[in-house]
Amino acid sequence: MTQAIDIQKAQYPDLRNRRVVIAGGTGDVGEGVVRAWLKTGAHVIVPSRTESKIEEFRRELSDLDQFERLAFVTGRYSRFDEAQDTAERITSEFGDVTDVVASMGSWWQGKPLWEVTEEEWQQYFVDVSAAHFATARAWVPRLPKTGSYQLILGGSALMPVPSASIISMQQASLLMMRRVLSTEVGEQARIAAQVLGPVITRARERYEPDWVSNYEVGLVSVGIAANTDATGQDYVSYDKSEMLATLQKLRIYPT
C-alpha cells in the first residue's frame, strides 16, 4: 500500500543565508524545486533563455508571496562560453552563489537504438549532455565547501528503458559525471544527484498514485543543501515509498 506524503508536514530547513541557481527552474519538475527553495527563505535565481518563458513562469507562481527573493536572468547555458557568461553575470549582479540545481532535459521514446537518427542523437544526447556539462563546468569551481551542486535525473540513468536508448545513455552519462565530479573535488564541494521515477507535475494529466511529485523532488533538494555534513551521493526515489525514505533520511519529513 502506497504511503501518502503530506507536504504540510514537511520540515523546511532555514536556508536564508543561501543563494541558489536553479537551471531548468521554469520546467515542470523545476517548478517544484523553485517552490521548495523559496519556502526555506533562500534567495532563488532562475536563468531562462527567453523573457516570454519567464513571464509565463511568473504567472504559474502567482499564488506565492515570496517574489522579493526570486530573481530571473535571461541567459543561455547550452555551451561553455554561454554558461560561463551566465555564471559571471549572476555572480556580479547578485553575489556569490552557494548552491546550484540542474533540472534540465526532456523525455524521448519511440524507436530502437539502430533506428535513431543523427538529428535525434544530437538533440537528446549531445545537446542535453553538453548543457549539463557546461553548467557544471561553470559553477562547481565557484561553490563554497558548504554548498552543493545537484543534478535531477531520471530512473533511466540506472534502468534501461526500451525504445528510449538516447535518454537512458544520456542520463547514465550524467550520473557518471556526478560521480566523477565528486571524486575530483573531494571535500571541497558536495555533488549530489536525485534519480527519479516518473514525476507528477502540473502539466501531467494522468499519473499513478505511487509516482513522486515535483514538490517532493524540491523537498529532497533543500534537504541535500541543508545537510552540509553529508557527502555527495545519489538519492534514488523511483516511487513514493523510496521518496518517503529519502525525505526521512534527510530529516525533512517526520518518521
Side-chain angles (χ1 to χ4, degrees), residues 112-177:
L113 177 64
W114 53 88
E115 293 182 4
V116 170
T117 66
E118 186 171 351
E119 290 76 18
E120 290 166 336
W121 171 258
Q122 179 70 39
Q123 179 179 354
Y124 293 102
F125 186 91
V126 177
D127 290 349
V128 175
S129 299
H132 270 281
F133 189 87
T135 302
R137 181 176 178 272
W139 282 110
V140 169
R142 301 173 185 267
L143 299 179
K145 188 175 181 179
T146 55
S148 68
Y149 188 94
Q150 306 177 27
L151 291 92
I152 309 295
L153 303 176
S156 58
L158 295 172
M159 183 182 301
V161 179
S163 300
S165 56
I166 309 176
I167 301 298
S168 297
M169 295 165 66
Q170 171 227 100
Q171 295 287 281
S173 71
L174 293 174
L175 185 60
M176 181 53 69
M177 182 185 77

Side-chain angles (χ1 to χ4, degrees), residues 195-237:
V195 182
L196 307 165
V199 180
I200 302 170
T201 67
R202 179 200 302 269
R204 209 154 203 168
E205 297 181 355
R206 300 179 62 183
Y207 55 85
E208 299 295 328
D210 201 36
W211 291 3
V212 304
S213 75
N214 60 348
Y215 301 107
E216 293 157 4
V217 174
L219 285 174
V220 172
S221 179
V222 299
I224 291 171
N227 283 267
T228 56
D229 57 339
T231 58
Q233 58 184 285
D234 305 323
Y235 296 86
V236 181
S237 301

Side-chain angles (χ1 to χ4, degrees), residues 49 76-83 126-127 129-132 134-135:
R49 290 189 297 271
R76 295 178 176 271
Y77 40 82
S78 298
R79 298 170 24 162
F80 286 12
D81 57 344
E82 293 173 343
V126 177
D127 290 349
S129 299
H132 270 281
T135 302

Side-chain angles (χ1 to χ4, degrees), residues 17-34:
N17 63 335
R18 307 293 276 266
R19 182 175 292 111
V20 60
V21 170
I22 303 177
T26 60
D28 292 335
V29 176
E31 178 187 346
V33 180
V34 170

Side-chain angles (χ1 to χ4, degrees), residues 15-21 37 42-45 90 94-100 143:
L15 299 179
R16 282 176 292 182
N17 63 335
R18 307 293 276 266
R19 182 175 292 111
V20 60
V21 170
W37 274 89
H43 295 269
V44 179
I45 303 165
I90 289 174
F94 299 100
D96 292 338
V97 168
T98 57
D99 302 86
V100 175
L143 299 179

